[in-house]
Amino acid sequence: MKVSVRMFLVLVMVVGVFGLVSCGGASGAPAAGGNGLIVTAKDAEFAFAPTELTAKSGETVTLTFNNTSVLNHNFILIKDDPTILAKVDAGADVAGEAGGYVPTDKTDIVATTKLLIPGASETITFTAPAAGKYIYFCTYPAHLEGGMKGSFTVN
């Protein structure tokens, strides 16, 4: 079947516009209900997009984590405190790959996804904690050290 160049260009434009429209919610800003967030692992980088999220204390937050990377990743949200970070990171190492690098002691964890393979997504729902500064990061070995983290501000 022979396709004209004009038809091909029209098809490319339609697909491009659809792609831009469908990605419009990926900014990490609250959705219409004020509680929908989308976070993506960026390509082959040790990075999340976006790197800054906000919510209101007590709000029900629905967060979708899309692993568009070629590597395994998870999403863990904790209070922005170096002692808690060290404890959770050490617990992730103990859990290992079999445990999805998610500590069994979830006392200090506000929210977490399981370890996602490339192309996988998970949606989690949690109540935004008390006002303050929180961080989210990936506990897969060397990903945090590589810079895979973001800030989560609760007002």
Side-chain angles (χ1 to χ4, degrees):
M1 182 169 133
K2 194 172 188 181
V3 178
S4 72
V5 171
R6 181 176 292 176
M7 183 60 95
F8 176 75
L9 291 175
V10 168
L11 179 62
V12 168
M13 287 175 42
V14 168
V15 169
V17 168
F18 178 78
L20 288 172
V21 169
S22 67
C23 290
S27 69
N35 65 353
L37 303 173
I38 298 174
V39 176
T40 301
K42 289 178 64 177
D43 307 318
E45 300 175 35
F46 292 145
F48 288 110
T51 57
E52 295 180 15
L53 300 172
T54 60
K56 294 179 183 172
S57 182
E59 174 179 53
T60 299
V61 176
T62 301
L63 182 137
T64 299
F65 176 50
N66 299 314
N67 186 5
T68 59
S69 173
V70 296
L71 304 168
N72 293 341
H73 295 295
N74 61 16
F75 173 98
I76 294 189
L77 176 65
I78 63 169
K79 181 85 173 151
D80 189 359
D81 177 304
T83 303
I84 294 172
L85 177 62
K87 178 183 170 189
V88 170
D89 198 36
D93 288 342
V94 171
E97 192 159 6
Y101 294 102
V102 176
T104 54
D105 178 3
K106 295 180 180 54
T107 306
D108 295 311
I109 297 175
V110 175
T112 183
T113 66
K114 63 184 180 238
L115 184 65
L116 300 178
I117 61 171
S121 293
E122 183 178 357
T123 299
I124 57 175
T125 301
F126 59 96
T127 301
K133 298 285 185 184
Y134 297 80
I135 61 168
Y136 54 96
F137 61 104
C138 177
T139 56
Y140 197 90
H143 290 196
L144 173 61
E145 295 79 7
M148 194 162 187
K149 63 182 176 177
S151 65
F152 191 93
T153 303
V154 179
N155 300 311

